[in-house]
Amino acid sequence: MGLQPLEFSDCYLDSPWFRERIRAHEAELERTNKFIKELIKDGKNLIAATKSLSAAQRKFAHSLRDFKFEFIGDAETDDERCIDASLREFSNFLKNLEEQREIMALSVTETLIKPLEKFRREQLGAVKEEKKKFDKETEKNYSLIDKHLNLSAKKKDSHLQEADIQVEQNRQHFYELSLEYVCKLQEIQERKKFEFVEPMLSFFQGMFTFYHQGHELAKDFNHYKMELQINIQNTRNRFEGTRSEVEELMNKIRQNPKDHKRASQFTAEGYLYVQEKRPAPFGSSWVKHYCMYRKAAKKFNIIPFEHRSGGKLGDGEVFFLKECTKRHTDSTDRRFCFDVEAADRPGAALTMQAFSEDERKQWLEALGGKEALLHSFNRAIIPRPEGSAQLDKMGFTILRKCISAVETRGINDQGLYRVVGVSSKVQRLLSMLMDVKTCNEVDLENSVDWEVKTITSALKQYLRSLPEPLMTYELHGDFIVPAKSGSPESRVNAIHFLVHKLPEKNKEMLDILVKHLTNVSNHSKQNLMTVANLGVVFGPTLMRPQEETVAAIMDLKFQNIVVEILIENHQKIFRTLPDATFPEPVSLSTSPPNAPPRQSKRQGQRTKRPVAVYNLCLELEDGDSANLPKEDTPTGNLDSLSSPSPTTAAVHRPPGPDKNHLHADGGSFGDWASPVPGQTRSPMVQWLNTQSPTTPSCSPVVTPSSPKPPPSPLSLHAAIVDKPLESVVSRKARAVYPCEAEHSSELSFEIGAIFEDVQTSREPGWLEGTLNGKRGLIPQNYVKLL
């Protein structure tokens, strides 16, 4: 039951029950006052907690914004770029949410705290003051009445009459005050319902607004969230495939590491300890060097490197080998030693120590020394075992039979092509299909002996058993490049162009297969095989690399993207001819056959641009020049310039101490091994650096340029490998194609633009030049040197 109403007429009776009702009203007001006071305190705590939460979320958002994922390889997939950008998107989401939270915190103060404090101070405070007056007048009134009643009747009438008037006036004043107090008590009980609840409504309205804004932000973020979930799933699927490949490669190398050495442009490379002789009585010391030797040029590169010194590279040196001899044990107190003699320092041998006897024998063989063994330091790529699968009439029959059976019986089977059949049954089916006698007898569409997963596994096994992948080793790198960068349209155009470069049988079989995969993806709601899932399954099958390396495995994700593009654009790619004006991508397959597969990030970003053909002008002894034959692809081997050919035999000399010869072998070692200031040369380095008379030989035409800053230690080895064949220094160039910069370090230009002070860049395939006062990078295949 609620509070009983206070009747005004009861003020004159002032009965005990009236007083009881007043005390009940006063107790309720006191409880309300305490509640509001506690609520205000909690509200302030809420504001303080909101501010702390805001500060924590801002810090969290900044941490998300500043973090960046690194990737392995030279490019990222679109999925990886989205995942990398996701943290910044999360940061922006929190930032926007935080702005709304700050507005809400201000709203709590303005709409709740201040109105409640005002109500408590002005309304409840006024009632408390009225209560004090009422209690005071009540005490005064009843004290006066008691005193008046105690007057003796024997007093004078005038005195008694005056006392009666005074008591009556006081009672009237008390009744008026009582009426006002009763009115105030009932008024405040009614007023508090809206004076107190209205600020609460405003507060919750602010809360609702905040959460509504959060909901709206979440709705705006929803499309990105859904896309990110797909990106994450695609990346997870690719990771699963990549992990199994990496583990398989790791186990192969663990079992036989010598058979899995990577191809290299160096005949031999590895660590050797080099003896550095010191003046008496200090004797000599042994310093570890990383050594690289090219047999064709007889060029020996050595770089001091010690892991305990923080992994810093020292000053590298180069010399040309004259001969190598095995060092006998009785001539030194160290094992596994051999001597090398430089061509420009006959008679002054340099003693080197290998890590083991086997390594010494390998070095002796590579250097042409005595005690050579019949095995190579860098082994050729081990070809995959070839089965009997071929791109012949039988192969097409197998493909069509399997596809027809899958589309007839299991197009809606969940996990189609991902669920693997029993290995023994798969091998038995494949052997029957490859046998001319039994192939026609196998009924895949109606026989229950062969499960759909067995048929799909047999189809994949047949494609993997081909001597060469369906998309060929030759075009493998070309297919990978457009998948790494560029717009979706340029990727499709590049793949379209490359598919029509495949041999006719390869293209025909690929067409049949991709048409089938397109049909499978159209039933993805039933079989759960989306285009991305099919890319994961068939990427390694259709585009397996020629060499098994971790770098090749890291490119699996781009193989998957190529297959996705084929499936999504089947009609365009296989039913229309590519644009005749579409530029041919830079081929990775034309790299030196003994060089490790590599591609810089910038090259990967420019694969959609045309390839310009340049002549390499070599300076003759008498000042004339000769042009090497024009080719559509880069030269096959950096060492080929040092070997005579019908065209260039007259301009080449035998390898020797000649410094200009280094240009023909890929660049002077001194270009990338310039001494770092503050470093001192060891006696061995001084011995190697002694100048000797040189004889001019064929080299690219170069002009002096300002000294380049010393390269960073981490880029030193890369500079050896990536040194361009031709050096361009301080020349002019004209743009033959328009270009739009994709990075702040690049230049944008139109056809016919003239570049000043054009020089070779450290970025392979790029030049540095000045246009309209701005200096930046220029794609080498976009300009013609003047």
Side-chain angles (χ1 to χ4, degrees):
M1 184 176 178
L3 296 174
Q4 293 185 6
L6 300 175
E7 297 294 343
F8 292 116
S9 58
D10 289 340
C11 293
Y12 293 92
L13 293 176
D14 198 16
S15 66
W17 298 277
F18 175 68
R19 286 284 177 168
E20 188 69 25
R21 290 195 291 271
I22 286 179
R23 283 195 294 272
H25 279 257
E26 290 173 343
E28 170 61 20
L29 289 181
E30 184 63 25
R31 189 175 66 85
T32 301
N33 182 58
K34 289 181 179 180
F35 173 72
I36 294 177
K37 184 177 180 181
E38 190 69 22
L39 195 65
I40 291 172
K41 178 182 176 183
D42 292 339
K44 291 181 178 179
N45 290 338
L46 176 62
I47 294 173
T50 302
K51 291 180 179 179
S52 299
L53 177 60
S54 297
Q57 283 196 345
R58 277 195 297 270
K59 189 175 184 304
F60 185 69
H62 291 161
S63 299
L64 288 178
R65 182 194 62 195
D66 296 339
F67 184 79
K68 178 175 176 59
F69 288 105
E70 288 298 338
F71 59 92
I72 299 176
D74 55 4
E76 294 176 289
T77 64
D78 289 343
D79 295 322
E80 289 171 331
R81 292 189 188 97
C82 182
I83 291 173
D84 185 32
S86 64
L87 299 185
R88 287 180 287 281
E89 291 292 335
F90 293 152
S91 174
N92 293 335
F93 177 80
L94 285 178
K95 182 180 178 182
N96 293 334
L97 193 64
E98 202 49 50
E99 291 175 357
Q100 301 299 323
R101 191 186 301 279
E102 289 176 355
I103 294 174
M104 185 199 72
L106 292 174
S107 175
V108 172
T109 301
E110 296 296 328
T111 62
L112 179 65
I113 304 300
K114 289 184 178 179
L116 287 182
E117 288 179 336
K118 181 179 180 182
F119 175 73
R120 181 171 172 268
R121 181 178 61 253
E122 295 181 359
Q123 301 297 329
L124 294 179
V127 174
K128 291 180 75 173
E129 291 297 324
E130 289 290 334
K131 179 181 182 303
K132 290 179 181 179
K133 290 182 181 179
F134 178 72
D135 291 343
K136 183 178 179 181
E137 287 298 326
T138 298
E139 184 65 28
K140 179 180 178 182
N141 179 57
Y142 285 110
S143 297
L144 190 60
I145 289 175
D146 290 342
K147 184 179 179 182
H148 180 66
L149 294 177
N150 289 329
L151 286 176
S152 174
K154 296 180 180 180
K155 289 211 180 265
K156 294 181 179 180
D157 291 338
S158 61
H159 183 74
L160 292 174
Q161 290 178 356
E162 183 179 351
D164 290 341
I165 293 171
Q166 184 179 0
V167 168
E168 188 61 28
Q169 289 177 347
N170 188 73
R171 289 183 68 185
Q172 290 299 324
H173 177 70
F174 168 72
Y175 291 148
E176 290 178 5
L177 187 63
S178 178
L179 288 170
E180 291 178 1
Y181 182 55
V182 166
C183 182
K184 194 71 174 177
L185 280 176
Q186 298 190 113
E187 178 185 319
I188 197 65
Q189 295 291 357
E190 295 298 318
R191 179 184 287 273
K192 73 178 181 181
K193 295 176 183 178
F194 57 87
E195 291 281 4
F196 169 60
V197 176
E198 190 174 31
M200 294 300 300
L201 176 61
S202 299
F203 163 72
F204 278 99
Q205 182 62 38
M207 293 287 290
F208 297 152
T209 302
F210 167 71
Y211 285 110
H212 177 72
Q213 290 292 340
H215 175 69
E216 291 297 319
L217 288 174
K219 284 174 61 178
D220 295 340
F221 192 75
N222 190 59
H223 75 283
Y224 180 80
K225 181 188 71 174
M226 299 299 295
E227 181 183 354
L228 183 60
Q229 287 176 342
I230 297 173
N231 297 141
I232 292 172
Q233 186 60 45
N234 292 344
T235 305
R236 185 188 298 277
N237 292 340
R238 290 166 185 155
F239 163 75
E240 295 295 337
T242 302
R243 181 176 64 176
S244 60
E245 293 282 341
V246 169
E247 289 177 351
E248 182 181 351
L249 177 60
M250 179 184 66
N251 292 330
K252 287 180 181 179
I253 294 179
R254 179 184 293 154
Q255 294 170 4
N256 200 347
K258 292 184 179 179
D259 289 342
H260 288 81
K261 288 188 177 179
R262 291 198 60 196
S264 171
Q265 61 177 318
F266 298 106
T267 311
E269 61 179 315
Y271 284 103
L272 292 171
Y273 280 86
V274 180
Q275 185 181 30
E276 295 185 359
K277 297 179 180 179
R278 301 180 182 277
F282 298 105
S284 62
S285 62
W286 294 82
V287 180
K288 185 167 69 173
H289 289 68
Y290 193 80
C291 303
M292 297 158 288
Y293 176 69
R294 285 183 184 173
K295 190 171 185 178
K298 288 196 172 183
K299 180 179 174 182
F300 208 112
N301 302 329
I302 59 175
I303 309 170
F305 182 80
E306 178 55 58
H307 298 86
R308 288 173 294 186
S309 64
K312 293 183 179 180
L313 294 172
D315 294 339
E317 293 295 336
V318 61
F319 63 90
F320 290 91
L321 181 70
K322 181 179 179 182
E323 64 177 359
C324 170
T325 56
K326 179 180 178 180
R327 188 70 178 264
H328 295 290
T329 309
D330 56 359
S331 63
T332 180
D333 60 346
R334 291 210 172 200
R335 300 189 299 163
F336 320 133
C337 294
F338 59 92
D339 292 339
V340 295
E341 185 177 339
D344 61 344
R345 273 286 174 261
L350 189 65
T351 302
M352 297 184 172
Q353 182 185 27
F355 285 3
S356 65
E357 182 61 29
D358 286 342
E359 290 194 17
R360 176 170 70 169
K361 290 177 180 179
Q362 293 176 20
W363 277 102
L364 287 173
E365 178 197 358
L367 299 174
K370 302 168 186 179
E371 304 285 338
L373 297 180
L374 296 177
H375 63 274
S376 173
F377 199 93
N378 285 304
R379 298 177 179 269
I381 298 169
I382 301 175
R384 293 173 178 263
E386 297 183 6
S388 57
Q390 298 293 332
L391 276 177
D392 53 9
K393 184 177 180 181
M394 179 64 67
F396 279 91
T397 301
I398 295 172
L399 184 73
R400 288 190 174 98
K401 284 178 74 74
C402 292
I403 288 176
S404 177
V406 170
E407 294 191 347
T408 302
R409 297 173 52 190
I411 195 69
N412 292 324
D413 288 5
Q414 288 191 3
L416 189 65
Y417 284 107
R418 295 208 77 160
V419 179
V420 182
V422 179
S423 179
S424 58
K425 294 183 67 175
V426 172
Q427 290 297 336
R428 188 166 78 253
L429 173 59
L430 194 56
S431 62
M432 293 178 66
L433 291 173
M434 287 184 175
D435 191 337
V436 179
K437 298 178 181 178
T438 58
C439 180
N440 294 329
E441 299 176 2
V442 179
D443 186 3
L444 297 179
E445 293 188 21
N446 302 308
S447 175
V448 295
D449 296 336
W450 307 109
E451 298 174 290
V452 173
K453 63 181 181 181
T454 305
I455 299 172
T456 56
S457 297
L459 175 58
K460 291 187 292 182
Q461 184 61 39
Y462 162 74
L463 293 172
R464 284 194 290 265
S465 300
L466 292 171
E468 189 176 21
L470 205 55
M471 298 175 75
T472 72
Y473 290 134
E474 181 183 0
L475 294 177
H476 178 86
D478 292 345
F479 275 110
I480 291 293
V481 168
K484 293 185 175 180
S485 61
S487 65
E489 182 181 359
S490 67
R491 293 180 183 180
V492 174
N493 291 337
I495 302 300
H496 188 191
F497 177 83
L498 291 169
V499 164
H500 287 265
K501 289 186 66 179
L502 290 170
E504 195 59 37
K505 287 186 177 180
N506 295 60
K507 185 175 71 173
E508 182 182 353
M509 183 171 284
L510 186 64
D511 181 9
I512 297 170
L513 178 63
V514 174
K515 181 180 178 181
H516 165 62
L517 297 181
T518 303
N519 190 22
V520 172
S521 67
N522 290 337
H523 293 77
S524 60
K525 289 186 178 179
Q526 292 80 27
N527 58 37
L528 306 182
M529 292 304 292
T530 61
V531 173
N533 288 338
L534 291 171
V536 171
V537 173
F538 282 91
T541 301
L542 300 178
M543 295 185 62
R544 68 176 185 266
Q546 190 169 8
E547 184 182 7
E548 287 186 291
T549 62
V550 174
I553 292 174
M554 290 299 108
D555 278 344
L556 279 177
K557 53 194 175 185
F558 299 111
Q559 298 174 19
N560 304 343
I561 291 173
V562 172
V563 175
E564 292 174 23
I565 292 173
L566 291 175
I567 296 173
E568 291 174 340
N569 303 274
H570 172 261
Q571 285 295 327
K572 175 179 179 179
I573 291 175
F574 291 96
R575 300 294 177 264
T576 63
L577 293 176
D579 186 358
T581 62
F582 184 78
E584 182 174 353
V586 178
S587 175
L588 294 182
S589 59
T590 55
S591 300
N594 61 343
R598 54 189 172 82
Q599 177 79 7
S600 73
K601 184 173 182 180
R602 292 189 181 278
Q603 284 174 317
Q605 291 175 344
R606 295 297 187 184
T607 54
K608 59 181 181 290
R609 295 179 174 174
V611 179
V613 181
Y614 299 99
N615 296 327
L616 178 61
C617 183
L618 303 179
E619 184 180 9
L620 300 177
E621 292 183 23
D622 56 0
D624 296 333
S625 63
N627 290 332
L628 295 179
K630 293 183 180 179
E631 294 180 353
D632 292 333
T633 57
T635 184
N637 193 329
L638 294 181
D639 289 331
S640 62
L641 290 177
S642 61
S643 59
S645 65
T647 311
T648 60
V651 295
H652 287 289
R653 294 184 177 272
D658 169 7
K659 267 182 23 177
N660 289 329
H661 175 79
L662 299 177
H663 292 288
D665 193 44
S668 170
F669 192 86
D671 288 345
W672 54 267
S674 17
V676 180
Q679 290 185 339
T680 58
R681 293 178 176 269
S682 64
M684 186 275 296
V685 174
Q686 294 174 1
W687 173 81
L688 289 171
N689 199 45
T690 306
Q691 298 296 323
S692 61
T694 60
T695 307
S697 68
C698 174
S699 64
V701 180
V702 296
T703 58
S705 61
S706 57
K708 297 180 180 179
S712 65
L714 293 179
S715 64
L716 196 55
H717 184 268
I720 303 171
V721 178
D722 292 338
K723 187 71 177 179
L725 186 62
E726 179 184 13
S727 295
V728 179
V729 182
S730 300
R731 295 181 61 177
K732 291 186 177 182
R734 183 175 67 249
V736 293
Y737 298 100
C739 171
E740 183 178 351
E742 297 178 358
H743 191 269
S744 59
S745 62
E746 302 172 14
L747 294 177
S748 297
F749 51 85
E750 300 294 334
I751 296 177
I754 302 298
F755 301 93
E756 303 287 343
D757 190 22
V758 177
Q759 300 181 7
T760 303
S761 170
R762 290 175 181 265
E763 293 279 358
W766 291 74
L767 303 173
E768 291 183 12
T770 303
L771 178 64
N772 298 329
K774 181 181 178 182
R775 189 159 187 82
L777 293 173
I778 312 163
Q780 184 173 344
N781 55 353
Y782 264 47
V783 299
K784 180 178 181 181
L785 296 175
L786 302 179

